[in-house]
Amino acid sequence: MNIWYIGNWNKIEDTIRGVFLIMSSWTERMHRRAATFSNVVTSCGHPTYAFPHRLEKVKFGVHLDEVCKNDIPAPLLVLILKLNKEAPFKKDVFRAPGYQGSMKKLSHFLQAGRLVNIDNFSVYTIASVLKKFLRKIPGGIFGRINEQRLFHIITLESMEEQRNEIHRLITSMPVHTQRLLVLLFGTFRVIAANADRAGTGMTSEALGVSVAPSFFQSCVSDGKTAKMEDVLRFKV
């Protein structure tokens, strides 16, 4: 079983943080855009400003280039923004499952492009839906070939060479994939950074166990499940 990605979660996070710094101006614009759309999708009653009756659809089970035709869909940005703000202070986000009924409803709204009051959904439901979206991307968000490249890179002896190669791999991917990775790993990073202070239990190791199967499809291709002793063995 390929378990390296769980134990080396910090390495991948640190590398993508470097990409995040390079793309900081874009990220700030995306957060402002997500905040604007958040006002739309959480509006109840009769807002004083005009808003579209339909939003961009977030398709499940298709390649990212079909989901992100122009850029990351605004509803997906809103979900990640909510997690970025609230998940660092909640216990077991990404580990505890969301309510099945709410997950089905939110998934349907996203795929149909319907307006939705995001405040009606817990961070646990949102995290579970996000994991489902990632898990259903054909070949995974990195793709099979890039996963194999990561498997090779992690065997390199030099830590600096590992990070340089991971950086090169990520920046070779489509821009929308890079941007989605930046937003996701930025969220994972802030959750892990607050784990001890907020007592959430979601350390990098816990996130690795909870999230890696949604990122790396080969993680579960053999039907096995990562165990904590595997995580500790490969802990950085």
Side-chain angles (χ1 to χ4, degrees):
M1 176 182 181
N2 292 315
I3 196 70
W4 68 266
Y5 29 72
I6 297 177
N8 290 281
W9 199 252
N10 285 333
K11 292 181 184 177
I12 300 176
E13 282 184 326
D14 288 341
T15 302
I16 296 182
R17 281 182 70 198
V19 181
F20 174 86
L21 293 175
I22 296 173
M23 302 172 65
S24 59
S25 61
W26 172 85
T27 306
E28 290 175 2
R29 293 199 304 274
M30 288 301 99
H31 272 262
R32 288 196 297 270
R33 178 184 172 212
T36 299
F37 274 94
S38 181
N39 290 333
V40 172
V41 298
T42 60
S43 294
C44 297
H46 303 282
T48 57
Y49 51 85
F51 59 86
H53 293 287
R54 292 283 176 178
L55 298 175
E56 300 159 279
K57 294 181 180 180
V58 180
K59 299 179 181 179
F60 285 53
V62 300
H63 292 283
L64 271 183
D65 56 0
E66 294 185 46
V67 179
C68 309
K69 293 182 179 179
N70 298 313
D71 208 331
I72 300 173
L76 187 57
L77 282 173
V78 170
L79 297 188
I80 299 174
L81 178 63
K82 183 177 176 71
L83 289 174
N84 188 281
K85 288 186 174 182
E86 299 182 15
F89 310 102
K90 301 284 187 178
K91 288 186 177 181
D92 296 331
V93 176
F94 284 109
R95 179 161 56 191
Y99 178 61
Q100 286 295 323
S102 296
M103 288 173 57
K104 290 181 180 179
K105 184 181 294 185
L106 180 56
S107 297
H108 172 72
F109 286 162
L110 290 172
Q111 295 186 80
R114 290 180 54 183
L115 291 173
V116 55
N117 188 342
I118 203 67
D119 287 338
N120 288 339
F121 298 92
S122 71
V123 290
Y124 303 102
T125 292
I126 293 173
S128 295
V129 169
L130 183 58
K131 286 169 61 176
K132 178 182 178 181
F133 167 76
L134 294 171
R135 189 168 59 250
K136 285 185 171 293
I137 297 174
I141 190 170
F142 283 95
R144 292 289 183 176
I145 294 177
N146 284 336
E147 280 191 27
Q148 293 304 314
R149 287 179 62 187
L150 284 170
F151 298 157
H152 170 70
I153 291 171
I154 209 65
T155 65
L156 300 175
E157 294 184 3
S158 168
M159 181 72 68
E160 182 178 359
E161 188 177 1
Q162 285 184 16
R163 290 179 175 171
N164 288 339
E165 287 298 318
I166 291 176
H167 181 275
R168 187 174 294 112
L169 184 153
I170 292 172
T171 53
S172 71
M173 299 173 74
V175 173
H176 56 259
T177 303
Q178 294 181 43
R179 291 174 172 176
L180 183 56
L181 286 171
V182 166
L183 293 172
L184 290 171
F185 276 90
T187 298
F188 298 149
R189 187 69 177 180
V190 73
I191 290 174
N194 282 277
D196 291 336
R197 186 186 317 144
T200 65
M202 293 312 294
T203 61
S204 290
E205 291 81 7
L207 279 170
V209 172
S210 303
V211 178
S214 298
F215 268 79
F216 305 97
Q217 294 192 355
S218 57
C219 178
V220 292
S221 61
D222 56 4
K224 296 181 180 179
T225 303
K227 298 180 180 179
M228 184 52 66
E229 52 263 35
D230 295 319
V231 176
L232 295 176
R233 177 185 172 192
F234 288 89
K235 183 178 179 181
V236 178

